[in-house]
Amino acid sequence: MNAEGLEKTRRAGKIAAQCREWARGAIKPGVRLRDILETIEDTIRKEGAAPAFPAQTSRNECAAHYCSSPDDETVYQEGDVVKVDMGVHIDGWIADTACTVDLSGKPENQALIQASADALSAAIGLVEPGRPVSEIGAAVERTITKAGFEPVRNLTGHGLDQWKVHCAPQIPNYGERGGGKLAEGMVIAIEPFSCTGRGFIHEAGRAEVFMLVRPPRKAKGIDKDVLRAMQEWRGLPIARRYFSDLPTDAVEDTISKLARQGVLVRYPPLVEKEGVLVAQTEHTLYLGPDGVEIITA
């Protein structure tokens, strides 16, 4: 992390925090999910940055990766437990943050959200160079289970680097063995997920989030304009709605052919069992020479 990268990461963090707090107040029953996500992304662009990944809002048993399609008319419902997750980058330097909004007013749902937030605070309190990531995961697990819930064990926090939303180290949400240690200069995202179920998610539903992981082979049906538009994101995650100004058939054919080549990865929604509620809280941190800095505070 050089001085320029750190300053851009800090600016991205301020924009991400601004968008998160706006969403926290704007999410209400009857509001369309797509409007929240598109407003977040429009705000990021107006502030001179760009989305590091498509803004997402996942409800109830859906823990992550729900991203509105270009014509999604879904609205928030009274009783929902709503996650909103967003990333911002400036020249590839990324900040990532998330929060959960309760639309039920039920004390038990508010306790679930608080367990996630308390677990993040406990984790941040342990962050220092040389700290094993397993100890951070153990603190997350201990905090959430003490509150009467379970951590989602197959979702993790992660490192951040220029043009990379996910890199080493992985930050577990439970006390698994191994996993390495934190080091000075790292930028990491810690994101405890608490839930009312067993704490394991699986893929379900249509993917709206994709990532182009390497250049494709030439093939019939890969539209040059669509491919060029995807490549402009330099390997960052993208959404189908980013290409709504291009012909739908060309977009769909290109997505299918790139996926078959194995150069485009799909990210479907990640869900617990039906009826389970999941909460998420996330901050990006910088492990600097003078201590830990919460980039998205």
Side-chain angles (χ1 to χ4, degrees), residues 82-272:
V82 179
K83 282 75 63 183
V84 59
D85 190 357
M86 65 210 70
V88 177
H89 84 87
I90 297 174
D91 294 335
W93 298 103
I94 298 166
D96 184 359
T97 191
C99 69
T100 303
V101 178
D102 175 36
L103 298 183
S104 74
K106 295 179 180 178
E108 59 267 32
N109 292 353
Q110 294 167 9
L112 174 71
I113 296 169
Q114 191 63 49
S116 170
D118 289 346
L120 178 57
S121 295
I124 291 172
L126 293 177
V127 170
E128 61 182 358
R131 175 75 67 182
V133 295
S134 59
E135 293 183 9
I136 295 175
V140 168
E141 180 180 21
R142 187 165 55 246
T143 303
I144 291 173
T145 56
K146 185 177 180 181
F149 305 104
E150 290 292 331
V152 176
R153 289 170 169 80
N154 53 342
L155 284 174
T156 69
H158 49 91
L160 294 160
D161 204 349
Q162 190 177 23
W163 301 108
K164 294 180 181 178
V165 176
H166 282 246
C167 65
Q170 287 193 341
I171 314 292
N173 285 322
Y174 70 104
E176 66 177 359
R177 294 181 179 180
K181 298 180 180 180
L182 301 179
E184 185 177 309
M186 283 182 172
V187 177
I188 60 172
I190 301 179
E191 48 182 321
F193 290 82
S194 56
C195 78
T196 59
R198 293 180 59 245
F200 292 94
I201 51 89
H202 62 276
E203 294 181 345
R206 186 189 196 210
E208 291 290 338
V209 179
F210 311 91
M211 189 164 69
L212 194 62
V213 294
R214 59 181 179 273
R217 302 186 305 274
K218 290 184 178 180
K220 185 178 180 181
I222 295 179
D223 185 276
K224 291 182 180 179
D225 291 334
V226 176
L227 179 60
R228 188 181 303 111
M230 290 180 174
Q231 290 174 325
E232 288 177 357
W233 289 90
R234 298 185 61 170
L236 292 175
I238 52 180
R240 185 177 269 109
R241 67 172 184 268
Y242 288 4
F243 311 107
S244 56
D245 60 332
L246 295 169
T248 300
D249 289 346
V251 172
E252 294 305 320
D253 288 348
T254 300
I255 287 173
S256 296
K257 288 181 171 59
L258 294 175
R260 282 200 294 271
Q261 284 192 20
V263 302
L264 186 83
V265 179
R266 292 183 171 109
Y267 295 96
L270 301 174
V271 302
E272 240 276 12

